[in-house]
Amino acid sequence: NMEEMLSFVEFAKKYRHFRGYVVWDEPLEDDALEAAAEQLRIIEEMDPDSIPYTVAIPSYNATYTWENGLYEDYLKRYAEKLNPCTMILDYYPFSSTRPEAFEQIDDSNLFLDIALLRKIGLEKKTPMWFVIQTLDSPFGEKYFDFAPAKVTMQAYNVLIHGGKGIQFYST
């Protein structure tokens, strides 16, 4: 609804600390990539001083993975179709399906994801941001104690790999 969107953008522009819009979270297939690209363009026209952004899907999705050889193509198509002002990925390494203390997180595909995101960002002269996990999965019925060391480790991983922005995911 363009009228509603314009109304919200005009409302948001009044606040000097308002900096941007989450346009789409993890567009996957080509039709979603094209829709996200169009929505980015619309918001850029409505509010050229803001940062409209999307978040690419990490490689632990079921469709485009390192294991099936399709993730690199996905992330390149994402960057090409959207031409985003920031390359952003989220990755939540801590859960029952992710590495725990007895498994090494450095064996995770997280670092392949970061490396590819950074490579594409450098090629496109686009800064890399990362959304990091600050709570356990919001899909469970309760939250467990999420140690500050886990948040810090994720932030340092982003920074040492050239990240320019860190967003904290919480619900």
Side-chain angles (χ1 to χ4, degrees):
N1 182 321
M2 292 299 282
E3 187 177 312
E4 289 291 324
M5 191 127 122
L6 186 56
S7 174
F8 178 77
V9 168
E10 291 304 316
F11 168 80
K13 285 167 48 173
K14 292 187 284 188
Y15 296 93
R16 69 186 180 103
H17 294 297
F18 184 84
R19 295 291 181 241
Y21 307 86
V22 178
V23 176
W24 198 303
D25 185 38
E26 301 178 347
L28 188 61
E29 301 298 340
D30 282 341
D31 58 340
L33 292 172
E34 290 167 14
E38 178 62 21
Q39 291 172 18
L40 283 172
R41 283 190 294 276
I42 289 169
I43 292 177
E44 286 171 341
E45 289 173 8
M46 289 181 174
D47 189 356
D49 296 327
S50 71
I51 302 173
Y53 63 91
T54 63
V55 178
I57 195 163
S59 67
Y60 57 72
N61 72 86
T63 308
Y64 302 112
T65 68
W66 289 104
E67 290 77 15
N68 68 17
L70 299 175
Y71 188 69
E72 186 171 357
D73 178 64
Y74 160 75
L75 203 55
K76 286 179 178 179
R77 280 186 300 110
Y78 168 91
E80 191 61 37
K81 285 184 183 284
L82 273 66
N83 193 28
C85 62
T86 56
M87 290 296 295
I88 307 177
L89 190 66
D90 57 16
Y91 201 101
Y92 309 134
F94 304 109
S95 78
S96 61
T97 61
R98 309 284 191 283
E100 295 300 328
F102 61 90
E103 296 178 31
Q104 292 296 308
I105 199 161
D106 55 351
D107 290 335
S108 163
N109 287 338
L110 165 64
F111 299 103
L112 293 173
D113 291 10
I114 292 174
L116 181 59
L117 188 76
R118 179 72 170 141
K119 178 179 183 250
I120 294 170
L122 287 170
E123 290 169 355
K124 296 184 78 49
K125 296 181 176 31
T126 303
M128 181 179 80
W129 289 6
F130 224 76
V131 180
I132 64 173
Q133 182 180 12
T134 58
L135 294 172
D136 289 314
S137 173
F139 304 110
E141 293 183 14
K142 68 177 187 173
Y143 289 97
F144 298 95
D145 184 29
F146 200 81
K150 289 183 174 182
V151 175
T152 304
M153 180 279 303
Q154 293 176 93
Y156 286 158
N157 280 333
V158 174
L159 293 173
I160 65 173
H161 287 91
K164 301 296 182 196
I166 298 173
Q167 296 172 291
F168 297 95
Y169 173 79
S170 60
T171 302

